[in-house]
Amino acid sequence: MILTLALYLVVGAIAGILAGLLGVGGGLVIVPMLNFAFALQDIPGDYLQHLALGTSMASIMFTSISSFRAHHKRGAVLWNVVWRITPGIITGTLIGTWVVAQLSTNFLKGFFVCFLYWVAAQMLLNLKPKASRELPGAMGMFGMGNVIGGVSSLVGIGGGTLSVPFMAWCNVAMHTAIGTSAAIGFPIAVSGTVGYIVNGLATQGLPANTFGFVYLPALVGIVCASVLTAPLGARLAHSLPVTKLKRIFAVLLIVMATKMLIGLL
């Protein structure tokens, strides 16, 4: 139990730094690490990925607050963008969590592995959409919010891997896109957590200490560490070569995705 708690603290510390540094919310690390930790605890596999996704979403609620506050102090959050995209975010995320509840753990793991490989390829090749347009109007923002929220709920992330490229495509400066993405991660996490709790409450066979699809011991350990390290990541984002760091992170994603893929075969 002590080893497992220590693992949750380490995962939380890494997630917090990544949330501030890259605007990714940490879910890309939290979900595969929770898979590993849950397997060590012999948690039944039928809903293992559901619990990893739900717990990741719940932890991002706290990580995103700490992160976007740090970015806000630096003037790097476009709050008008956050307010405009949030209605679509909430709708898409709630629908996504309902869809997840209908799917098997193996399918969700496979989808997550594909997503990790896609994100890693983007980072390794430094693929960026050309800044060729402005932010869309109300309907466009609502539609994009649905897409970002829906995909984020399927993979348990705060949406940074989608919202940052979207804003960069719309001529938003990268540091501002990262800070705004951290703020957008909060409505994603709140609505995602609500969805995972509601859709998991009636599920039979979940382990003790769960609230819907949220595993509380893991949530506490991750949050305790991540809220302390997210401001550090935000400070580093303004002083370190983020592009090089993303490539290193991409290699880590490939390793984790491959490990999960091997477990599925």
Side-chain angles (χ1 to χ4, degrees):
M1 178 59 73
I2 294 177
L3 179 61
T4 305
L5 180 58
L7 177 60
Y8 292 146
L9 291 170
V10 170
V11 172
I14 295 172
I17 291 175
L18 292 175
L21 181 61
L22 305 178
V24 298
L28 293 174
V29 171
I30 292 173
V31 173
M33 292 298 286
L34 285 180
N35 267 278
F36 175 71
F38 290 164
L40 286 179
Q41 293 177 265
D42 295 321
I43 289 178
D46 288 349
Y47 296 103
L48 191 147
Q49 185 72 0
H50 300 73
L51 289 169
L53 294 172
T55 306
S56 174
M57 275 292 188
S59 69
I60 291 170
M61 284 195 300
F62 301 91
T63 305
S64 64
I65 292 173
S66 182
S67 179
F68 78 64
R69 286 183 63 190
H71 283 290
H72 173 69
K73 290 178 181 178
R74 294 174 176 269
V77 178
L78 296 177
W79 287 107
N80 63 319
V81 173
V82 177
W83 306 135
R84 289 171 61 202
I85 203 171
T86 292
I89 288 289
I90 293 173
T91 304
T93 304
L94 289 174
I95 293 173
T97 56
W98 179 83
V99 171
V100 166
Q102 318 308 312
L103 300 173
S104 70
T105 274
N106 283 344
F107 179 89
L108 292 171
K109 283 185 177 180
F111 185 85
F112 186 80
V113 165
C114 292
F115 187 78
L116 283 187
Y117 281 131
W118 176 76
V119 173
Q122 295 263 1
M123 290 183 172
L124 276 177
L125 300 175
N126 197 26
L127 298 177
K128 297 179 181 178
K130 183 178 290 187
S132 57
R133 56 160 298 152
E134 300 301 317
L135 289 165
M139 290 306 297
M141 292 294 278
F142 182 79
M144 197 63 207
N146 270 271
V147 172
I148 293 173
V151 175
S152 297
S153 64
L154 285 169
V155 290
I157 65 172
T161 54
L162 302 171
S163 56
V164 170
F166 165 65
M167 284 183 279
W169 179 47
C170 296
N171 276 292
V172 177
M174 185 55 66
H175 283 160
T176 304
I178 290 173
T180 306
S181 171
I184 291 171
F186 183 69
I188 291 176
V190 171
S191 52
T193 301
V194 170
Y196 275 111
I197 290 173
V198 171
N199 287 291
L201 283 176
T203 302
Q204 302 296 317
L206 295 178
N209 302 313
T210 57
F211 185 33
F213 286 129
V214 177
Y215 186 61
L216 298 177
L219 175 62
V220 171
I222 291 171
V223 167
C224 286
S226 64
V227 296
L228 297 176
T229 57
L232 171 61
R235 289 195 296 270
L236 293 175
H238 294 268
S239 59
L240 293 179
V242 174
T243 299
K244 292 182 180 179
L245 292 173
K246 281 188 175 181
R247 289 175 177 166
I248 296 172
F249 181 53
V251 174
L252 174 63
L253 294 183
I254 291 173
V255 171
M256 291 189 296
T258 303
K259 180 175 175 57
M260 288 184 69
L261 180 61
I262 292 172
L264 285 172
L265 299 177

